[in-house]
Amino acid sequence: MNEFMGITPNLVKIKLDISPQYSEKEIIVRAAKNDDEVKAILNSIKDVDSRFSHLNGYIGETIYSLELKEILFFETNDRNVYAHTINNAFLIHYRLYELAENLPNNFLRVSKSSILNVDEILSLSRSVTGNLVQFKNTYKKIYVSRRFLKELKIALDQRKFEK
């Protein structure tokens, strides 16, 4: 990959200073002028900052704070969106398209009504009724639309190389 966030790497220096002495994260951008590359950097930082890290899920009147890594998949049912974990399904106060725009790259839309966590997939199998995803450590399964199957296979192949 020759470009990162639309910025040519040899024109931008990136320095990381990671230490337990720091109590908070800080990003400093130093530039000779306020040009398009600086704007691209700032927009990328804002984009990362706006992405979800936790979601509130509801069961009845109880609110639960859900870590994204706990979520197997999201699905719509009767105009509501539910986040499924190994043991529960939580009502989420977002639309599926809002989740698709703000979830990290390990979440992938696999049908008109569902988004799954690629990291939690145990298997993908083909049957007469369609393509079925089985998740780790649970009985839960969802179907993958043919339209999204190729993208899911690519994501699964990339997952193998990242580990």
Side-chain angles (χ1 to χ4, degrees):
M1 184 182 306
N2 292 336
E3 293 196 17
F4 175 73
M5 301 181 301
I7 300 160
T8 309
N10 58 355
L11 299 177
V12 177
K13 293 181 187 176
I14 298 175
K15 296 180 183 180
L16 289 175
D17 183 4
I18 300 171
S19 172
Q21 74 186 32
Y22 302 127
S23 60
E24 60 185 34
K25 297 174 195 121
E26 178 183 37
I27 297 175
I28 299 170
V29 177
R30 294 187 179 115
K33 60 182 179 173
N34 191 7
D35 60 11
D36 289 338
E37 285 188 344
V38 173
K39 289 176 185 170
I41 291 169
L42 294 175
N43 287 335
S44 296
I45 291 168
K46 287 177 188 173
D47 184 45
V48 169
D49 192 42
S50 69
R51 294 197 176 253
F52 297 136
S53 59
H54 284 77
L55 289 173
N56 287 335
Y58 301 82
I59 297 179
E61 298 298 316
T62 307
I63 302 172
Y64 296 87
S65 179
L66 305 173
E67 289 187 50
L68 290 182
K69 66 182 179 181
E70 298 174 335
I71 298 173
L72 304 173
F73 62 95
F74 297 93
E75 75 173 343
T76 58
N77 187 0
D78 295 331
R79 300 185 63 101
N80 292 315
V81 176
Y82 293 90
H84 288 261
T85 61
I86 290 174
N87 298 315
N88 289 307
F90 299 88
L91 178 64
I92 301 294
H93 290 248
Y94 289 98
R95 296 281 171 229
L96 216 55
Y97 76 89
E98 293 172 314
L99 292 169
E101 291 172 358
N102 291 294
L103 288 168
N105 294 337
N106 59 313
F107 284 87
L108 184 66
R109 188 112 187 212
V110 293
S111 71
K112 182 179 176 184
S113 61
S114 59
I115 297 172
L116 60 73
N117 183 347
V118 175
D119 295 338
E120 294 300 317
I121 294 175
L122 176 66
S123 66
L124 170 64
S125 57
R126 300 183 85 175
S127 68
V128 175
T129 56
N131 301 295
L132 190 64
V133 169
Q134 169 72 48
F135 294 95
K136 300 174 188 173
N137 305 315
T138 185
Y139 65 91
K140 294 185 178 183
K141 301 176 183 180
I142 62 169
Y143 285 97
V144 176
S145 166
R146 283 190 314 241
R147 176 178 161 206
F148 296 95
L149 184 60
K150 182 177 179 182
E151 193 175 348
L152 177 59
K153 286 180 177 180
I154 291 168
L156 288 171
D157 285 341
Q158 288 175 344
R159 184 180 74 167
K160 285 191 283 188
F161 293 115
E162 290 173 3
K163 288 186 178 184

